[in-house]
Amino acid sequence: MKPVLLVIAHGSRDPRHAATVHALVRRVRSLRPDVRVETGFLDFNIPSVQGVLESLAAEGVRDVVALPLLLTRAFHAKADIPAVLRDAPRQLRIRQAEVLGPSPLLLSALERRLYEAGLTPADKSSTGVVLASAGSTDPEAIAVIADIAWEWRHTGWCAVRPAFASAALPRTEDAVRELRALGCAKVAVAPYVLAPGFLPDRIARGAAEADVLAGVLGPAPEVARVLLLRYDAAAARGLLRLTVSA
């Protein structure tokens, strides 16, 4: 049997967060009905990751791919999630998948959201885009966002600037003003976040002077495809831990 896919989301007090995560998981299930997909949250929402793992073990499940529903490899992917997995029932064999980003498919999803918000392909060369992420204290994660912005700029946009809702600079509103100063005819903000919540709302407030604000990535089909690519890659490689109950 294929390993169970456990999607690990951060969780939020904002009910839109869990609703969006569940919508994405439903899309993943529709694409791969041969794979059992479960959802667990690190905080705020239920079921918890630990609770799901315990339930799977009680059912007799043995193989699990744990997939962080994260766009960059920062603290949660490097520390929080491995710690939770180490405390899982010992009979489970667990592979931790890579985070979703970066991926060309995610850039396609960002463009989808911008066009849904009102831009057209004809606007591309005259539009500056703010790639607005949640932010992180992890230098690796910040560098990845800067690299994505640089790569995206070379697909035909007037300019692309990274911005962060927390922990790093510039803020969204500052990046919007910079693109205006550069002379871009339009300025659009593309939230590089998966679900609504406190920090995405901060990005939206920072986009007040922009011409276009895209929606979050959410259950975009490209995001679901990336998720399954990460699952397949993890299922094909070595185990994070192999323990067999007596």
Side-chain angles (χ1 to χ4, degrees):
M1 294 181 63
K2 295 181 182 296
V4 171
L5 169 55
L6 173 57
V7 177
I8 301 178
H10 183 273
S12 171
R13 292 186 179 90
D14 189 322
R16 297 173 298 167
H17 174 90
T20 302
V21 170
H22 291 311
L24 174 59
V25 169
R26 286 194 296 271
R27 185 179 287 276
V28 170
R29 288 183 180 130
S30 72
L31 292 174
R32 290 286 292 275
D34 59 321
V35 175
R36 178 176 174 180
V37 186
E38 300 291 343
T39 309
F41 295 90
L42 290 173
D43 205 355
F44 302 117
N45 302 106
I46 56 173
S48 68
V49 176
Q50 186 67 25
V52 175
L53 291 170
E54 290 173 357
S55 295
L56 291 173
E59 290 180 32
V61 171
R62 291 295 176 266
D63 292 307
V64 177
V65 167
L67 192 150
L69 197 60
L70 301 168
L71 294 171
T72 58
R73 189 172 179 272
F75 182 80
H76 293 305
K78 294 176 179 179
D80 284 352
I81 292 174
V84 172
L85 298 181
R86 282 193 295 270
D87 290 337
R90 304 308 299 174
Q91 63 266 40
L92 291 176
R93 298 185 289 259
I94 301 175
R95 302 165 174 89
Q96 181 175 331
E98 296 296 332
V99 298
L100 301 183
S103 167
L105 284 169
L106 295 178
L107 287 181
S108 296
L110 288 167
E111 294 209 4
R112 169 196 290 274
R113 293 300 187 227
L114 286 170
Y115 295 146
E116 289 171 350
L119 290 180
T120 70
D123 295 319
K124 197 168 185 178
S125 63
S126 60
T127 300
V129 179
V130 178
L131 179 68
S133 76
S136 173
T137 57
D138 189 306
E140 177 186 349
I142 297 301
V144 165
I145 299 300
D147 288 344
I148 293 170
W150 183 87
E151 178 182 350
W152 204 15
R153 160 68 181 85
H154 290 276
T155 65
W157 295 101
C158 174
V160 180
R161 294 291 185 271
F164 307 94
S166 66
L169 296 174
R171 295 287 184 258
T172 302
E173 53 269 33
D174 297 323
V176 168
R177 293 176 188 129
E178 180 185 353
L179 291 171
R180 290 276 188 224
L182 283 175
C184 297
K186 291 184 178 180
V187 176
V189 174
Y192 190 58
V193 293
L194 287 166
F198 176 76
L199 292 178
D201 284 349
R202 181 179 288 176
I203 290 171
R205 291 193 297 272
E209 297 179 16
D211 299 292
V212 173
L213 170 63
V216 300
L217 292 171
E222 297 89 347
V223 177
R225 288 170 59 196
V226 174
L227 197 151
L228 286 169
L229 287 172
R230 300 292 184 257
Y231 166 80
D232 289 336
R237 69 171 187 258
L239 295 173
L240 170 70
R241 184 189 73 223
L242 175 58
T243 55
V244 181
S245 57

